Amino acid sequence: MIASISISEKVVIAERDPAAGRDHAFHPLRIARVVDETPDARSFVLEVPPELALALAYRSGQFVTHRVHIDGDSHLRCYSMSSSPDVGDEFQVTVKRVPGGVVSNWMIDNLRAGDVLETTCPAGVFCLPPGDDDVVAFAGGSGITPVFSILKTALATTSRNLRLLYANRDRDSVIFAAELERLAERHPGRLTVVHHLDADDGFVDEQTVNHFIDGAGGEHFICGPPPFMDIVEHALVDFGAPEDRIHIERFHPVESKPATVDAAPGRVTIELGSRVDTVDHRPGTTILQTARQMGMAPPFSCESGSCATCMAKLVEGTVSMFVNNALTDDELDEGWVLTCQSVPTSPSVHVVYEDA
Ligand SMILES: Cc1cc2nc3c(=O)[nH]c(=O)nc-3n(C[C@H](O)[C@H](O)[C@H](O)COP(=O)(O)OP(=O)(O)OC[C@H]3O[C@@H](n4cnc5c(N)ncnc54)[C@H](O)[C@@H]3O)c2cc1C
């Protein structure tokens, strides 16, 4: 069956995700300022030239991908905006050191005001849904970055009440501690921040989360280290929070590709912009890899099924998706797939990248 994509569907997609239909090029953005947040985290305030203002418009909770060149190698890493587009903030990302990490340490040690950072347009679906339900957020370490942006937006543009459980190693590693306090003061009774310090209380466990949830409903946001996220997610599910009210942003790739893939040998057709190409499928190769083998430059970012930058519409055939931490059930029903995680499972597969 070959389905066509109507114009009205494209409009819906553009409304849902402002990054849809944008370019995926890297734009050189000048660093206006570097802000020391904690001993191991820095924010980079980026200048957005007027001609890129529209392309770089974003929703709180979204991220960009930076391309950096270190010792002759190029590296791509995603960083969420800690700024909010709804409160007059300058465009800002916040990077925390990962022990032994190539890019985070390089950025913190080397980048200075005046340097240029290659940056994609914003992407991602970890955003505040419409409505006025309360927000219950869980952040660990650098996971505060998109959550901080969402909190600022929710306070400024809605009447929602917000609760944040914020876990950190110790007091010195709490990013945005003073800003969060100021926000709570400026919005009396609307923002409650509960700090959890591992140094004092051990790691967050299910009991900590249950105590914090304490009957609260609403939209739940989780971002932090994998064990923290797993504990919070399980607690919320056990508590009965509906799946579509649990929003998760994973900073770490989820390694779950099976060693063998039940992929059907056959033909793959990929549409990107004005190009339409068909090739024989190499078993185990994802749609994204196939597009690259065709010489196309498809959109991508995290390559771990988290960001939705590589999403495309499956208009014929079937695929198996290893990891999906980005697409909603509705999007899956509409035929969207994450091409970085999808391998064909039917003899003929046809995929259309909407960003044309
Ligand atoms: C959508 C998205 C948004 C992100 N937003 C932010 C952000 O706002 N701020 C931020 O600081 N980071 C953010 N990250 C993480 C960031 O992209 C990098 O993964 C992180 O900075 C580590 O990169 P690195 O090159 O220093 O480490 P690498 O050299 O890639 O990794 C070194 C080792 O550390 C592990 N590792 C990777 N990331 C982490 C981590 N966060 N904590 C602990 N171990 C890790 C890796 O698995 C690897 O074993 C985001 C990631 C995604 C996918």
Side-chain angles (χ1 to χ4, degrees), residues 63 77-80 94-96 98 101-104 142 145 249-252 302:
F63 63 90
R77 294 291 186 278
C78 307
Y79 291 99
S80 309
T94 302
V95 180
K96 181 172 176 170
V98 168
V102 176
V103 173
S104 57
S142 60
T145 303
E249 184 73 308
R250 294 188 195 281
F251 282 4
H252 307 74
C302 72

Side-chain angles (χ1 to χ4, degrees), residues 78-90:
C78 307
Y79 291 99
S80 309
M81 274 67 78
S82 50
S83 50
S84 157
D86 302 299
V87 298
D89 282 351
E90 294 170 278

